[in-house]
């Protein structure tokens, strides 16, 4: 009887402790900048496999999309973390005196590519400026395309807007088009029946970090342990997503975005690995999420030269290295 009582009491204590622990996990919301996809896989992985929970966070992922504007929610304190595009938005925040900081860079390379038709004299980077037409969206025309013009002599007069429909590119073999290495090449292969030449801008000097984790300075000041847990958990999530069992994460992605296919997810993961989007360069020693002062300064200098951002911005206010470069998760790489 006494033994049974001890077991029962012990079980109750354990149950109470686990319930208390679950209740004690701090609720945070991470807003993504687009519909759920493999390019967000590390965060879904960490939420699905308990990695965030293990260090004390109950994370809700709020997916973005065409009708969702996440950054204002971050500024208003409605969400805790936001998925930035690249460092240009962070530089802009400094100019606007918004106390926003990038605390980690999930992508070492922005996935932006220029695609060309094979066998049309557009098989090398230096050939691309000779294309008859450059299909570039308005946002790209104001950022990376300005760098292409300044650094490599592309002709602004040849640029036409990209409407996120590959048909004009497929129809014109002498055209080039922007895209994400994880997305548009898949669409072109399916709809056009050919594999386009791919030129990753990061490999030619467009050295911004991308898919950043942004938060407000107030969060860093008041809840540094929450920031560290989210950064560390995300890094581990990316290692497990890329190199481990990502079944649960992909199920969560498909639940949020039912239109995405298993084939598209598999293609995106393959491309992220092949092109070193998440894990390459500095991450090999510093871990996923790595950032360096030198790299951010290099990108800023190029954007000043291309007249994308003004000189004199105190870019040190756009990020902090306090939460990264600790090698977290490297041991999970299989």
């Amino acid at each position: 009887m006494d033994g049974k009582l001890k077991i029962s009491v012990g079980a109750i204590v354990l149950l109470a402790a686990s319930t208390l622990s679950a209740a004690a996990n701090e609720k945070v919301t991470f807003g993504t900048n687009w519909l759920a996809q493999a390019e967000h896989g590390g965060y879904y992985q960490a939420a699905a496999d308990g990695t965030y929970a293990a260090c004390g966070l109950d994370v809700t992922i709020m997916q973005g999309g065409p009708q969702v504007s996440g950054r204002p929610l971050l500024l208003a304190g409605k969400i805790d973390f936001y998925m930035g595009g690249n460092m240009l938005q962070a530089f802009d925040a400094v100019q606007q005196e918004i106390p926003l900081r990038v605390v980690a860079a999930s992508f070492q390379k922005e996935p932006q590519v220029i695609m060309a038709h094979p066998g049309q004299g557009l098989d090398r980077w230096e050939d691309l400026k000779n294309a008859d037409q450059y299909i570039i969206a308005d946002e790209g025309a104001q950022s990376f395309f300005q760098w292409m013009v300044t650094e490599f002599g592309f002709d602004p007069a040849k640029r036409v807007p990209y409407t996120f429909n590959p048909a004009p590119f497929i129809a014109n073999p002498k055209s080039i088009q922007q895209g994400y290495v994880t997305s548009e090449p898949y669409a072109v292969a399916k709809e056009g029946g050919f594999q386009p030449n791919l030129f990753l801008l990061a490999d030619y000097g467009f050295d911004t970090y991308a898919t950043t984790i942004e938060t407000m300075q107030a969060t860093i000041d008041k809840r540094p342990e929450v920031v560290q847990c989210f950064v560390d958990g995300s890094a581990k999530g990316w290692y497990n997503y890329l190199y481990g069992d990502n079944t649960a994460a992909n199920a969560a992605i498909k639940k949020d975005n039912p239109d995405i296919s298993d084939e598209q997810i598999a293609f995106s993961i393959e491309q992220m690995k092949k092109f070193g989007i998440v894990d390459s360069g500095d991450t090999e020693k510093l871990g996923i999420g790595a950032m360096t002062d030198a790299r951010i300064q290099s990108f800023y200098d190029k954007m000043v030269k291309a007249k994308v951002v003004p000189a004199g911005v105190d870019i040190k206010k756009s990020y902090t290295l306090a939460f990264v470069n600790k090698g977290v998760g490297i041991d999970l790489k299989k």
Side-chain angles (χ1 to χ4, degrees):
M1 184 71 179
D2 287 347
K4 287 183 182 176
L5 182 63
K6 284 177 184 175
I7 291 168
S8 300
V9 170
I12 290 166
V13 170
L14 280 172
L15 180 64
S18 65
T19 304
L20 184 65
S21 171
N25 276 4
E26 186 160 351
K27 292 183 182 298
V28 301
T29 300
F30 173 55
T32 72
N33 59 18
W34 198 246
L35 298 170
Q37 53 190 286
E39 293 89 328
H40 307 165
Y43 317 109
Y44 279 92
Q45 180 80 26
D49 70 9
T51 299
Y52 289 134
C55 62
L57 297 186
D58 178 3
V59 175
T60 297
I61 298 175
M62 185 189 79
Q63 72 168 340
Q67 309 303 324
V68 181
S69 190
R71 189 171 279 105
L73 296 176
L74 179 69
L75 306 188
K78 303 293 186 187
I79 62 175
D80 305 277
F81 300 97
Y82 182 66
M83 179 191 294
N86 62 30
M87 292 304 297
L88 289 174
Q89 295 94 341
F91 296 161
D92 185 61
V94 175
Q95 293 175 70
Q96 295 184 51
E97 298 185 349
I98 297 169
L100 174 153
R101 303 284 181 270
V102 171
V103 292
S106 299
F107 286 6
Q108 290 298 297
K109 298 180 179 183
E110 186 164 61
Q112 194 70 243
V113 290
I114 299 295
M115 301 185 297
H117 289 249
Q120 296 293 330
L122 302 171
D123 298 317
R124 301 176 304 159
W125 171 256
E126 52 268 34
D127 299 329
L128 299 184
K129 64 184 177 184
N130 301 322
D132 291 348
Q133 191 177 65
Y134 315 150
I135 305 171
I136 309 285
D138 290 348
E139 186 178 346
Q142 295 163 16
S143 57
F144 63 80
F145 183 60
Q146 295 304 313
W147 165 78
M148 291 165 64
V149 169
T150 303
E151 207 69 31
F152 299 101
F154 283 76
D155 181 358
K158 292 183 180 181
R159 181 251 162 180
V160 298
Y162 174 41
T163 60
F164 298 90
N165 172 5
F169 168 69
I170 291 169
N172 183 354
K174 294 295 185 182
S175 68
I176 58 174
Q177 183 202 289
Q178 76 169 79
Y180 257 36
V181 72
T182 49
S183 180
E184 272 86 352
Y186 176 78
V188 168
K190 287 205 81 167
E191 296 174 35
F194 68 94
Q195 299 292 337
N197 294 332
L198 302 179
F199 301 89
L200 192 73
L201 296 189
D203 291 342
Y204 296 93
F206 192 73
D207 53 355
T208 184
Y209 294 118
T211 305
T212 60
I213 298 172
E214 299 177 347
T215 194
M216 303 305 292
Q217 185 63 47
T219 302
I220 294 171
D221 293 341
K222 296 173 184 174
R223 300 188 293 160
E225 71 289 345
V226 169
V227 178
Q228 190 68 69
C229 174
F230 189 76
V231 169
D232 288 352
S234 299
K236 291 174 183 176
W238 273 111
Y239 281 111
N240 286 325
Y241 186 72
L242 291 175
Y243 307 115
D245 181 359
N246 54 26
T247 309
N250 288 335
I253 288 169
K254 289 166 71 177
K255 182 179 178 183
D256 275 357
N257 180 12
D259 291 336
I260 198 164
S261 68
D262 291 334
E263 190 182 4
Q264 171 70 72
I265 288 172
F267 177 82
S268 297
I269 293 171
E270 181 186 350
Q271 294 290 86
M272 284 191 286
K273 288 181 175 181
K274 179 180 176 182
F275 286 89
I277 300 299
V278 176
D279 188 15
S280 62
D282 288 335
T283 65
E284 291 172 15
K285 290 185 178 178
L286 303 178
I288 287 174
M291 301 190 295
T292 67
D293 293 322
R295 174 86 175 268
I296 294 171
Q297 185 69 52
S298 168
F299 178 64
Y300 173 69
D301 291 344
K302 289 172 183 175
M303 292 303 96
V304 170
K305 182 180 176 184
K307 296 184 169 53
V308 173
V309 295
V313 177
D314 185 359
I315 61 170
K316 288 287 183 73
K317 290 182 177 178
S318 69
Y319 68 98
T320 174
L321 303 182
F323 302 98
V324 292
N325 303 343
K326 305 173 193 292
V328 171
I330 288 178
D331 58 313
L332 299 172
K333 188 171 179 178
K334 300 175 180 71

